[in-house]
Coordinates of all heavy atoms in Angstrom, one line a residue:
M1 N 0.8 -1.4 -0.2 CA -0.5 -2.1 -0.1 C -0.3 -3.4 -0.9 O 0.0 -3.3 -2.1 CB -1.6 -1.2 -0.6 CG -2.9 -2.0 -0.6 SD -4.3 -1.0 -1.3 CE -4.1 0.5 -0.5
G2 N -0.6 -4.5 -0.3 CA -0.5 -5.8 -1.0 C -1.8 -6.0 -1.8 O -2.8 -5.3 -1.7
I3 N -1.8 -7.0 -2.7 CA -2.9 -7.3 -3.5 C -4.1 -7.7 -2.8 O -5.2 -7.3 -3.0 CB -2.6 -8.3 -4.7 CG1 -3.7 -8.5 -5.7 CG2 -2.3 -9.7 -4.1 CD1 -3.9 -7.3 -6.5
N4 N -3.9 -8.5 -1.7 CA -5.0 -8.9 -0.8 C -5.7 -7.7 -0.1 O -6.9 -7.6 0.0 CB -4.6 -9.9 0.3 CG -4.2 -11.2 -0.4 OD1 -4.7 -11.5 -1.5 ND2 -3.4 -12.0 0.3
D5 N -4.8 -6.7 0.3 CA -5.4 -5.5 0.9 C -6.2 -4.7 -0.1 O -7.3 -4.2 0.1 CB -4.2 -4.6 1.4 CG -3.5 -5.2 2.6 OD1 -4.1 -6.0 3.3 OD2 -2.3 -4.8 2.8
A6 N -5.7 -4.6 -1.3 CA -6.4 -3.8 -2.4 C -7.7 -4.5 -2.7 O -8.7 -3.8 -2.9 CB -5.5 -3.7 -3.6
E7 N -7.7 -5.9 -2.8 CA -9.0 -6.5 -3.1 C -10.0 -6.3 -2.0 O -11.2 -6.2 -2.2 CB -8.7 -8.0 -3.3 CG -7.9 -8.3 -4.6 CD -7.5 -9.7 -4.8 OE1 -7.6 -10.5 -3.8 OE2 -7.0 -10.1 -5.9
A8 N -9.5 -6.4 -0.7 CA -10.4 -6.2 0.4 C -11.0 -4.8 0.4 O -12.2 -4.6 0.6 CB -9.7 -6.4 1.7
V9 N -10.2 -3.8 0.0 CA -10.7 -2.4 0.0 C -11.7 -2.3 -1.1 O -12.7 -1.6 -1.0 CB -9.5 -1.4 -0.2 CG1 -10.0 0.0 -0.5 CG2 -8.7 -1.4 1.1
L10 N -11.4 -2.8 -2.3 CA -12.3 -2.8 -3.4 C -13.7 -3.4 -3.0 O -14.7 -2.9 -3.3 CB -11.7 -3.5 -4.6 CG -12.6 -3.5 -5.9 CD1 -12.9 -2.1 -6.3 CD2 -11.9 -4.2 -7.0
R11 N -13.7 -4.6 -2.3 CA -14.9 -5.2 -1.9 C -15.7 -4.2 -1.0 O -16.9 -4.1 -1.0 CB -14.7 -6.5 -1.3 CG -14.3 -7.6 -2.2 CD -14.4 -9.0 -1.6 NE -13.4 -9.1 -0.5 CZ -12.1 -9.5 -0.6 NH1 -11.6 -9.7 -1.8 NH2 -11.4 -9.5 0.5
R12 N -15.0 -3.6 -0.1 CA -15.6 -2.7 0.9 C -16.2 -1.5 0.2 O -17.4 -1.0 0.5 CB -14.6 -2.2 2.0 CG -14.2 -3.3 2.9 CD -13.1 -3.0 3.7 NE -13.4 -2.2 4.9 CZ -12.5 -1.8 5.8 NH1 -11.3 -2.2 5.7 NH2 -12.9 -1.0 6.7
I13 N -15.5 -0.9 -0.8 CA -16.1 0.3 -1.5 C -17.3 -0.1 -2.4 O -18.3 0.6 -2.5 CB -15.1 1.1 -2.2 CG1 -15.6 2.5 -2.6 CG2 -14.6 0.4 -3.5 CD1 -14.6 3.5 -3.1
E14 N -17.2 -1.3 -3.0 CA -18.3 -1.7 -3.7 C -19.6 -2.0 -2.9 O -20.7 -1.6 -3.3 CB -17.9 -3.0 -4.5 CG -17.0 -2.8 -5.7 CD -16.5 -4.1 -6.3 OE1 -16.5 -5.1 -5.7 OE2 -16.2 -4.0 -7.5
A15 N -19.4 -2.5 -1.7 CA -20.5 -2.7 -0.8 C -21.0 -1.4 -0.3 O -22.2 -1.2 -0.2 CB -20.1 -3.6 0.4
A16 N -20.1 -0.5 -0.1 CA -20.5 0.8 0.5 C -21.2 1.7 -0.6 O -22.1 2.5 -0.3 CB -19.3 1.6 0.9
A17 N -21.0 1.4 -1.9 CA -21.6 2.2 -2.9 C -23.2 1.9 -3.1 O -23.9 2.6 -3.8 CB -20.9 1.9 -4.2
E18 N -23.6 0.8 -2.4 CA -25.0 0.4 -2.5 C -25.5 0.3 -3.9 O -25.0 -0.4 -4.7 CB -25.8 1.3 -1.6 CG -25.4 1.2 -0.1 CD -26.0 2.2 0.8 OE1 -26.8 3.1 0.3 OE2 -25.7 2.2 2.0
E19 N -26.6 1.0 -4.2 CA -27.2 0.8 -5.5 C -26.6 1.8 -6.6 O -27.3 2.1 -7.6 CB -28.7 1.0 -5.5 CG -29.2 2.4 -5.1 CD -29.5 2.6 -3.6 OE1 -29.4 1.6 -2.8 OE2 -30.0 3.6 -3.3
N20 N -25.4 2.3 -6.4 CA -24.9 3.3 -7.4 C -24.2 2.6 -8.5 O -23.6 3.2 -9.4 CB -23.8 4.2 -6.6 CG -24.5 5.1 -5.7 OD1 -25.5 5.7 -6.1 ND2 -23.9 5.4 -4.6
G21 N -24.4 1.3 -8.7 CA -23.8 0.6 -9.9 C -22.4 0.2 -9.7 O -21.8 0.2 -8.6
T22 N -21.7 0.0 -10.8 CA -20.3 -0.4 -10.7 C -19.4 0.7 -10.2 O -19.5 1.9 -10.6 CB -19.8 -0.8 -12.2 OG1 -20.7 -1.9 -12.5 CG2 -18.4 -1.3 -12.1
V23 N -18.5 0.3 -9.4 CA -17.5 1.3 -8.8 C -16.1 0.8 -9.1 O -15.8 -0.4 -9.0 CB -17.7 1.4 -7.3 CG1 -16.6 2.2 -6.7 CG2 -19.1 1.9 -7.0
E24 N -15.3 1.7 -9.5 CA -13.8 1.4 -9.7 C -13.1 2.1 -8.7 O -13.3 3.3 -8.3 CB -13.4 1.8 -11.1 CG -14.1 1.1 -12.3 CD -13.6 1.6 -13.6 OE1 -12.6 2.3 -13.7 OE2 -14.3 1.3 -14.6
L25 N -12.0 1.5 -8.2 CA -11.2 2.1 -7.1 C -9.9 2.5 -7.7 O -9.2 1.7 -8.3 CB -11.1 1.0 -6.0 CG -10.1 1.5 -4.8 CD1 -10.8 2.6 -4.1 CD2 -9.9 0.3 -3.9
D26 N -9.5 3.7 -7.5 CA -8.2 4.2 -7.9 C -7.4 4.5 -6.6 O -7.8 5.2 -5.7 CB -8.3 5.6 -8.6 CG -9.0 5.4 -10.0 OD1 -8.8 4.4 -10.6 OD2 -9.7 6.4 -10.3
Y27 N -6.2 3.9 -6.5 CA -5.4 4.1 -5.3 C -3.9 4.1 -5.8 O -3.5 3.5 -6.7 CB -5.6 3.0 -4.3 CG -5.3 1.6 -4.8 CD1 -4.0 1.2 -4.6 CD2 -6.2 0.8 -5.4 CE1 -3.6 -0.1 -5.1 CE2 -5.8 -0.4 -5.9 CZ -4.6 -0.9 -5.7 OH -4.2 -2.1 -6.1
Y28 N -3.2 4.9 -5.1 CA -1.8 5.0 -5.3 C -1.1 5.1 -4.0 O -1.2 6.0 -3.2 CB -1.5 6.4 -6.0 CG -2.2 6.5 -7.3 CD1 -3.4 7.2 -7.4 CD2 -1.8 5.9 -8.5 CE1 -4.2 7.4 -8.5 CE2 -2.6 6.0 -9.7 CZ -3.7 6.7 -9.7 OH -4.5 6.8 -10.8
E29 N -0.4 4.0 -3.7 CA 0.2 3.8 -2.4 C -0.8 4.0 -1.3 O -1.6 3.1 -1.1 CB 1.4 4.7 -2.2 CG 2.7 4.2 -3.0 CD 3.8 5.1 -2.7 OE1 3.9 5.7 -1.7 OE2 4.8 4.9 -3.5
K30 N -0.7 5.0 -0.5 CA -1.6 5.3 0.6 C -2.7 6.2 0.3 O -3.2 6.9 1.2 CB -0.7 5.8 1.8 CG 0.3 4.9 2.2 CD -0.3 3.7 3.0 CE 0.7 2.8 3.6 NZ 0.2 1.7 4.4
E31 N -3.1 6.5 -0.9 CA -4.1 7.4 -1.3 C -5.3 6.6 -1.8 O -5.2 5.7 -2.6 CB -3.6 8.3 -2.5 CG -4.7 9.3 -2.8 CD -4.2 10.3 -3.8 OE1 -3.0 10.3 -4.2 OE2 -5.0 11.2 -4.3
L32 N -6.5 7.0 -1.3 CA -7.7 6.4 -1.8 C -8.5 7.6 -2.5 O -8.8 8.6 -1.9 CB -8.5 6.0 -0.5 CG -10.0 5.5 -0.8 CD1 -10.0 4.3 -1.7 CD2 -10.7 5.2 0.5
V33 N -8.9 7.3 -3.7 CA -9.7 8.2 -4.5 C -11.1 7.5 -4.7 O -11.1 6.5 -5.4 CB -9.1 8.6 -5.8 CG1 -10.0 9.5 -6.6 CG2 -7.7 9.2 -5.6
I34 N -12.1 8.0 -4.1 CA -13.4 7.4 -4.2 C -14.1 8.1 -5.5 O -14.2 9.3 -5.6 CB -14.3 7.6 -3.0 CG1 -13.6 7.0 -1.8 CG2 -15.7 7.1 -3.1 CD1 -14.3 7.3 -0.4
P35 N -14.5 7.2 -6.4 CA -15.1 7.7 -7.7 C -16.3 8.6 -7.5 O -17.0 8.5 -6.6 CB -15.5 6.5 -8.4 CG -14.7 5.4 -7.7 CD -14.6 5.8 -6.3
D36 N -16.4 9.6 -8.5 CA -17.6 10.5 -8.4 C -18.9 9.9 -8.5 O -19.9 10.5 -8.2 CB -17.4 11.6 -9.6 CG -16.5 12.7 -9.2 OD1 -16.4 13.0 -8.0 OD2 -15.9 13.3 -10.1
S37 N -19.0 8.6 -9.0 CA -20.3 7.9 -9.1 C -20.8 7.6 -7.7 O -22.0 7.2 -7.5 CB -20.2 6.7 -9.9 OG -19.2 5.8 -9.4
V38 N -20.0 7.6 -6.7 CA -20.4 7.2 -5.3 C -21.1 8.4 -4.6 O -20.5 9.5 -4.5 CB -19.2 6.7 -4.5 CG1 -19.7 6.4 -3.0 CG2 -18.6 5.5 -5.1
T39 N -22.3 8.2 -4.1 CA -23.1 9.3 -3.4 C -23.2 8.9 -1.9 O -23.5 9.8 -1.1 CB -24.4 9.5 -4.0 OG1 -25.2 8.3 -4.0 CG2 -24.3 10.0 -5.5
H40 N -23.1 7.7 -1.5 CA -23.2 7.2 -0.2 C -22.1 6.3 0.1 O -21.6 5.5 -0.7 CB -24.5 6.3 0.0 CG -25.8 7.0 -0.3 ND1 -26.2 7.3 -1.6 CD2 -26.7 7.5 0.5 CE1 -27.4 7.9 -1.5 NE2 -27.7 8.1 -0.2
I41 N -21.5 6.4 1.4 CA -20.5 5.5 1.8 C -21.1 4.8 3.1 O -21.5 5.5 4.0 CB -19.2 6.2 2.2 CG1 -18.7 6.9 0.9 CG2 -18.2 5.2 2.6 CD1 -17.4 7.7 1.2
G42 N -21.2 3.5 3.0 CA -21.8 2.7 4.1 C -21.1 2.7 5.4 O -19.9 3.1 5.5
A43 N -21.8 2.3 6.5 CA -21.3 2.3 7.8 C -20.0 1.5 7.9 O -20.0 0.3 7.4 CB -22.3 1.8 8.8
G44 N -19.0 2.0 8.5 CA -17.8 1.2 8.7 C -17.0 0.8 7.5 O -16.1 0.0 7.6
A45 N -17.3 1.4 6.3 CA -16.7 1.0 5.1 C -15.2 1.0 5.1 O -14.5 0.2 4.5 CB -17.2 1.8 4.0
F46 N -14.6 2.0 5.8 CA -13.2 2.2 5.8 C -12.6 2.2 7.2 O -11.6 2.9 7.5 CB -12.8 3.5 5.0 CG -13.1 3.3 3.6 CD1 -14.2 4.0 3.1 CD2 -12.4 2.5 2.7 CE1 -14.6 3.9 1.8 CE2 -12.8 2.4 1.4 CZ -13.9 3.1 0.9
Y47 N -13.3 1.6 8.1 CA -12.9 1.5 9.5 C -11.5 1.0 9.7 O -11.1 0.0 9.2 CB -13.9 0.6 10.3 CG -13.7 0.7 11.8 CD1 -14.5 1.4 12.6 CD2 -12.7 -0.1 12.4 CE1 -14.4 1.5 14.0 CE2 -12.5 0.0 13.8 CZ -13.4 0.7 14.6 OH -13.2 0.8 15.9
A48 N -10.7 1.9 10.3 CA -9.2 1.6 10.6 C -8.4 1.3 9.3 O -7.4 0.6 9.3 CB -9.1 0.4 11.5
A49 N -8.8 1.8 8.1 CA -8.1 1.7 6.9 C -6.8 2.5 7.1 O -6.7 3.5 7.8 CB -8.9 2.2 5.7
T50 N -5.7 2.2 6.3 CA -4.4 2.8 6.6 C -4.1 3.9 5.6 O -2.9 4.3 5.4 CB -3.3 1.7 6.6 OG1 -3.4 1.0 5.3 CG2 -3.5 0.8 7.7
F51 N -5.0 4.4 4.8 CA -4.8 5.4 3.8 C -4.4 6.7 4.5 O -5.0 7.1 5.5 CB -6.0 5.7 3.0 CG -6.5 4.5 2.2 CD1 -7.6 3.8 2.5 CD2 -5.7 4.1 1.1 CE1 -8.0 2.7 1.8 CE2 -6.1 2.9 0.4 CZ -7.2 2.2 0.7
S52 N -3.4 7.4 4.0 CA -3.0 8.7 4.6 C -3.7 9.9 4.0 O -3.7 11.0 4.5 CB -1.4 8.8 4.5 OG -1.1 8.8 3.1
H53 N -4.3 9.7 2.8 CA -5.0 10.7 2.1 C -6.2 10.1 1.4 O -6.1 9.1 0.8 CB -4.1 11.5 1.1 CG -4.8 12.5 0.3 ND1 -5.1 13.7 0.9 CD2 -5.4 12.6 -0.9 CE1 -5.7 14.5 0.1 NE2 -6.0 13.8 -1.0
I54 N -7.4 10.8 1.6 CA -8.6 10.3 1.0 C -9.2 11.4 0.2 O -9.4 12.5 0.7 CB -9.6 9.8 2.0 CG1 -9.0 8.6 2.7 CG2 -10.9 9.4 1.4 CD1 -9.8 8.0 3.9
T55 N -9.6 11.2 -1.1 CA -10.3 12.1 -1.8 C -11.8 11.7 -2.0 O -12.0 10.6 -2.5 CB -9.7 12.3 -3.3 OG1 -8.3 12.7 -3.1 CG2 -10.5 13.3 -4.1
L56 N -12.7 12.5 -1.5 CA -14.1 12.2 -1.6 C -14.7 12.7 -2.9 O -14.3 13.7 -3.4 CB -14.9 12.8 -0.4 CG -14.4 12.3 1.0 CD1 -15.2 13.1 2.1 CD2 -14.7 10.9 1.1
P57 N -15.7 12.0 -3.4 CA -16.4 12.4 -4.6 C -17.2 13.7 -4.4 O -17.7 14.0 -3.3 CB -17.3 11.3 -5.0 CG -17.5 10.5 -3.7 CD -16.3 10.8 -2.8
S58 N -17.3 14.5 -5.5 CA -18.0 15.8 -5.4 C -19.4 15.7 -5.2 O -20.1 16.7 -4.7 CB -17.6 16.6 -6.7 OG -18.1 15.9 -7.8
H59 N -20.0 14.6 -5.5 CA -21.5 14.4 -5.3 C -21.9 13.6 -4.1 O -23.0 13.2 -3.9 CB -22.1 13.8 -6.6 CG -21.9 14.6 -7.8 ND1 -22.5 15.9 -7.9 CD2 -21.1 14.4 -8.9 CE1 -22.1 16.4 -9.1 NE2 -21.3 15.5 -9.7
L60 N -20.9 13.4 -3.2 CA -21.2 12.5 -2.0 C -22.2 13.3 -1.1 O -22.0 14.4 -0.8 CB -19.9 12.4 -1.2 CG -19.9 11.5 0.0 CD1 -20.2 10.0 -0.4 CD2 -18.7 11.5 0.8
D61 N -23.2 12.6 -0.7 CA -24.2 13.2 0.2 C -24.3 12.5 1.6 O -24.9 13.1 2.5 CB -25.6 13.4 -0.5 CG -26.2 12.1 -0.8 OD1 -26.0 11.0 -0.2 OD2 -27.0 12.1 -1.9
T62 N -23.8 11.3 1.7 CA -24.0 10.6 2.9 C -22.7 9.8 3.3 O -22.1 9.1 2.5 CB -25.1 9.5 2.8 OG1 -26.3 10.2 2.5 CG2 -25.3 8.8 4.1
I63 N -22.3 10.1 4.6 CA -21.2 9.3 5.2 C -21.9 8.7 6.4 O -22.3 9.3 7.3 CB -20.0 10.1 5.6 CG1 -19.3 10.8 4.4 CG2 -19.0 9.4 6.4 CD1 -18.3 11.8 4.7
R64 N -22.0 7.3 6.4 CA -22.6 6.6 7.5 C -21.7 6.5 8.7 O -20.6 6.9 8.8 CB -23.1 5.3 7.1 CG -24.1 5.3 5.9 CD -25.4 5.3 6.5 NE -26.4 5.4 5.3 CZ -27.5 6.0 5.4 NH1 -27.9 6.6 6.4 NH2 -28.3 6.1 4.3
E65 N -22.3 5.9 9.8 CA -21.7 5.7 11.1 C -20.3 5.0 10.9 O -20.2 4.0 10.2 CB -22.6 4.9 12.0 CG -23.8 5.7 12.4 CD -24.9 5.7 11.3 OE1 -24.8 5.0 10.2 OE2 -25.8 6.6 11.4
L66 N -19.3 5.4 11.7 CA -18.0 4.8 11.8 C -17.3 4.6 10.5 O -16.3 3.8 10.4 CB -18.1 3.4 12.5 CG -18.6 3.5 14.0 CD1 -19.0 2.1 14.4 CD2 -17.5 4.1 14.8
T67 N -17.7 5.3 9.4 CA -17.1 5.1 8.1 C -15.6 5.2 8.1 O -14.9 4.4 7.5 CB -17.7 6.1 7.1 OG1 -19.1 5.8 7.0 CG2 -17.1 5.9 5.7
F68 N -15.0 6.3 8.7 CA -13.6 6.5 8.7 C -13.0 6.4 10.1 O -11.9 6.9 10.3 CB -13.3 7.9 8.0 CG -13.6 8.0 6.6 CD1 -14.7 8.8 6.2 CD2 -13.0 7.3 5.6 CE1 -15.1 8.9 4.8 CE2 -13.3 7.3 4.3 CZ -14.4 8.1 3.9
A69 N -13.7 5.8 11.0 CA -13.2 5.7 12.4 C -11.8 5.1 12.4 O -11.6 4.1 11.7 CB -14.2 5.0 13.2
E70 N -10.9 5.6 13.2 CA -9.6 5.1 13.5 C -8.7 5.2 12.2 O -7.7 4.4 12.2 CB -9.7 3.7 14.1 CG -10.3 3.7 15.5 CD -10.3 2.4 16.2 OE1 -9.3 1.6 15.9 OE2 -11.2 2.2 17.0
C71 N -9.0 6.0 11.3 CA -8.1 6.2 10.1 C -7.0 7.2 10.4 O -7.2 8.2 11.2 CB -8.9 6.6 9.0 SG -10.0 5.4 8.3
P72 N -5.8 7.0 9.9 CA -4.7 7.8 10.2 C -4.5 9.1 9.4 O -3.5 9.8 9.5 CB -3.4 6.9 10.0 CG -3.9 6.0 8.8 CD -5.4 5.8 9.1
F73 N -5.4 9.4 8.5 CA -5.2 10.6 7.6 C -5.3 11.9 8.5 O -5.9 11.9 9.6 CB -6.1 10.7 6.5 CG -7.6 10.5 6.8 CD1 -8.4 11.6 7.2 CD2 -8.2 9.2 6.6 CE1 -9.7 11.4 7.5 CE2 -9.6 9.1 6.9 CZ -10.3 10.1 7.4
S74 N -4.6 12.9 8.0 CA -4.5 14.2 8.8 C -5.3 15.3 8.3 O -5.5 16.3 8.9 CB -3.0 14.6 8.8 OG -2.5 14.9 7.5
S75 N -5.9 15.1 7.1 CA -6.9 16.1 6.6 C -7.8 15.5 5.6 O -7.5 14.4 5.1 CB -6.1 17.2 5.9 OG -5.6 16.8 4.7
I76 N -9.0 16.1 5.5 CA -10.0 15.6 4.6 C -10.8 16.8 4.2 O -11.1 17.7 5.0 CB -10.9 14.5 5.2 CG1 -11.8 13.8 4.1 CG2 -11.7 15.0 6.4 CD1 -12.4 12.6 4.6
T77 N -11.2 16.9 2.9 CA -12.1 18.0 2.5 C -13.5 17.4 2.2 O -13.6 16.5 1.4 CB -11.5 18.6 1.2 OG1 -10.2 19.1 1.4 CG2 -12.4 19.7 0.7
L78 N -14.4 17.9 2.9 CA -15.8 17.4 2.8 C -16.5 18.2 1.6 O -16.4 19.4 1.6 CB -16.6 17.6 4.1 CG -15.9 16.9 5.3 CD1 -16.8 17.2 6.5 CD2 -15.9 15.4 5.0
P79 N -17.2 17.5 0.7 CA -17.8 18.2 -0.4 C -19.1 19.0 0.1 O -19.7 18.7 1.1 CB -18.2 17.1 -1.3 CG -18.3 15.9 -0.5 CD -17.3 16.1 0.6
D80 N -19.4 20.1 -0.7 CA -20.5 20.9 -0.3 C -21.8 20.1 -0.4 O -22.9 20.5 0.2 CB -20.7 22.1 -1.3 CG -19.6 23.1 -1.1 OD1 -19.0 23.1 0.1 OD2 -19.2 23.8 -2.0
S81 N -21.9 19.0 -1.2 CA -23.1 18.2 -1.4 C -23.4 17.4 -0.2 O -24.5 16.8 -0.1 CB -22.9 17.3 -2.6 OG -21.8 16.4 -2.4
L82 N -22.5 17.2 0.8 CA -22.7 16.4 2.0 C -23.9 16.9 2.8 O -23.9 18.0 3.3 CB -21.4 16.3 2.8 CG -21.3 15.2 3.8 CD1 -21.4 13.9 3.1 CD2 -20.0 15.4 4.5
V83 N -24.8 16.0 3.1 CA -26.0 16.4 3.9 C -26.1 15.5 5.2 O -26.8 15.9 6.1 CB -27.4 16.3 3.2 CG1 -27.4 17.4 2.0 CG2 -27.6 14.9 2.6
Y84 N -25.4 14.4 5.3 CA -25.5 13.6 6.5 C -24.1 13.0 6.8 O -23.5 12.4 5.9 CB -26.5 12.4 6.2 CG -26.6 11.5 7.4 CD1 -27.4 11.8 8.5 CD2 -25.9 10.3 7.4 CE1 -27.4 10.9 9.6 CE2 -26.0 9.4 8.5 CZ -26.8 9.7 9.5 OH -26.9 8.9 10.6
I85 N -23.7 13.1 8.1 CA -22.5 12.4 8.6 C -23.0 11.6 9.8 O -23.6 12.2 10.8 CB -21.4 13.4 9.0 CG1 -21.0 14.2 7.8 CG2 -20.3 12.7 9.6 CD1 -19.9 15.3 8.1
G86 N -22.8 10.3 9.8 CA -23.3 9.4 10.8 C -22.5 9.6 12.1 O -21.4 10.1 12.1
D87 N -23.0 9.1 13.2 CA -22.3 9.1 14.5 C -21.0 8.5 14.4 O -20.8 7.4 13.8 CB -23.2 8.5 15.5 CG -24.5 9.1 15.9 OD1 -24.6 10.4 15.7 OD2 -25.4 8.5 16.3
Y88 N -20.0 9.1 15.0 CA -18.7 8.6 15.1 C -18.0 8.3 13.8 O -17.1 7.4 13.7 CB -18.7 7.3 16.0 CG -19.4 7.5 17.3 CD1 -20.5 7.0 17.6 CD2 -18.7 8.3 18.3 CE1 -21.1 7.2 18.8 CE2 -19.3 8.6 19.5 CZ -20.5 8.0 19.8 OH -21.1 8.2 21.0
A89 N -18.5 9.0 12.7 CA -17.9 8.7 11.4 C -16.4 8.9 11.3 O -15.7 8.3 10.6 CB -18.6 9.6 10.3
F90 N -15.9 9.9 12.2 CA -14.4 10.1 12.2 C -13.9 9.9 13.6 O -12.9 10.5 14.0 CB -14.2 11.6 11.8 CG -14.6 11.9 10.4 CD1 -15.9 12.4 10.1 CD2 -13.8 11.5 9.4 CE1 -16.2 12.6 8.8 CE2 -14.1 11.8 8.0 CZ -15.4 12.3 7.7
R91 N -14.5 9.0 14.4 CA -14.0 8.6 15.7 C -12.6 8.2 15.8 O -12.2 7.4 15.0 CB -14.9 7.5 16.3 CG -14.7 7.3 17.8 CD -15.4 6.0 18.2 NE -14.3 5.2 18.7 CZ -14.1 3.9 18.4 NH1 -15.0 3.3 17.7 NH2 -13.1 3.2 18.8
A92 N -11.9 8.7 16.7 CA -10.5 8.3 17.0 C -9.6 8.5 15.7 O -8.6 7.8 15.6 CB -10.4 6.9 17.5
C93 N -9.9 9.5 15.0 CA -8.9 9.9 13.9 C -8.0 10.9 14.5 O -8.2 12.1 14.5 CB -9.7 10.5 12.7 SG -10.7 9.4 11.8
R94 N -7.0 10.4 15.2 CA -6.2 11.2 16.1 C -5.3 12.3 15.4 O -4.8 13.2 16.0 CB -5.3 10.4 16.9 CG -4.3 9.6 16.1 CD -3.5 8.7 17.0 NE -3.5 7.4 16.4 CZ -2.8 6.4 16.9 NH1 -2.1 6.5 18.0 NH2 -2.9 5.2 16.3
Y95 N -5.2 12.3 14.0 CA -4.4 13.3 13.4 C -5.3 14.3 12.7 O -4.7 15.3 12.1 CB -3.5 12.6 12.3 CG -2.6 11.6 12.8 CD1 -2.8 10.2 12.6 CD2 -1.5 12.0 13.7 CE1 -1.9 9.3 13.2 CE2 -0.7 11.0 14.2 CZ -0.9 9.7 14.0 OH 0.0 8.7 14.5
L96 N -6.6 14.2 12.8 CA -7.4 15.3 12.3 C -7.5 16.4 13.3 O -7.5 16.3 14.4 CB -8.9 14.7 12.0 CG -9.1 13.9 10.8 CD1 -10.5 13.5 10.7 CD2 -8.7 14.8 9.5

């Protein structure tokens, strides 16, 4: 992942965090770790992102529309706190 890609992802997660305050992004090659401070992920926040593994925060309650559409990851663990998944949140995730 190049620095421009990382900066773009950081801007997307900060926007997706809405009013949750400051968000720090931890990533290692193709892994995205969304911080525990995030409770909502905005619509299309990671549309067609190239991460192969994503770790969701334990207090996440909302995944909006098209959030992870067209992402190449092959598995994801949804937290028990999740109460809303928007339409097409995982559309065309062909490896799931």
